[in-house]
Amino acid sequence: MEGNVGPAPPGKHLHVRLTDERGAIYDHITEYLKVAGKAPDWYWRTVGRLEGQEEENMEELLASAFEAGAYLAHASPPELAFQWVTEQECERERRANEQQGEKDDQRQRDRSALSHYA
C-alpha cells in the first residue's frame, strides 16, 4: 500500500498498525529517521531519558512518530495497515486493549502463583 493515503476525512485521524501482532514499531521508526537524514541514535537516547518518568507520554510520542512516518513514507511495507478512525472508534479500541492487557496480566499472575506449587 502506498504510504501517502490521502488527507484525513472530516472527524477522523489515522491509525497505522502492524499486521503481525508480534512485530514492533521501533525498527520502522529507525528507518524513517534514517531516510529523513536524522540520527536515530540521538532520538533513541532522548526517548530513553524519558523512560520511567512519563511512560504513557513516551508511548504516545513513539506511536505518533511511527504513524506520522508511515503516513509520509512514499512506499509502505506490506506489514503496515492504515485505517482512518473517529475518536469514538479510537476510544473503543483503547478500552479493548486495556481490558486485554488486564486479562494478560491476570493470566501471568495466575501462572506465577501456580508455578510456585509446581
Side-chain angles (χ1 to χ4, degrees), residues 32-104:
Y32 299 146
L33 290 166
K34 286 180 184 176
V35 169
K38 304 293 182 184
D41 291 343
W42 173 86
Y43 180 83
W44 291 118
R45 281 194 306 272
T46 303
V47 169
R49 284 193 294 270
L50 296 174
E51 194 169 11
Q53 294 175 16
E54 297 181 23
E55 200 159 318
E56 188 174 308
N57 289 341
M58 185 184 75
E59 289 297 321
E60 183 65 29
L61 174 71
L62 290 174
S64 295
F66 166 65
E67 290 182 335
Y71 178 75
L72 294 173
H74 293 294
S76 295
E79 64 264 16
L80 298 184
F82 295 82
Q83 181 182 17
W84 291 106
V85 297
T86 64
E87 282 299 322
Q88 293 82 11
E89 293 166 330
C90 184
E91 188 58 34
R92 274 195 302 269
E93 181 181 334
R94 186 177 297 123
R95 281 194 303 267
N97 287 340
E98 287 172 358
Q99 289 173 349
Q100 183 61 44
E102 289 171 5
K103 288 178 186 176
D104 291 345

Side-chain angles (χ1 to χ4, degrees), residues 14 75 88 107:
L14 185 65
Q88 293 82 11
R107 280 191 208 111

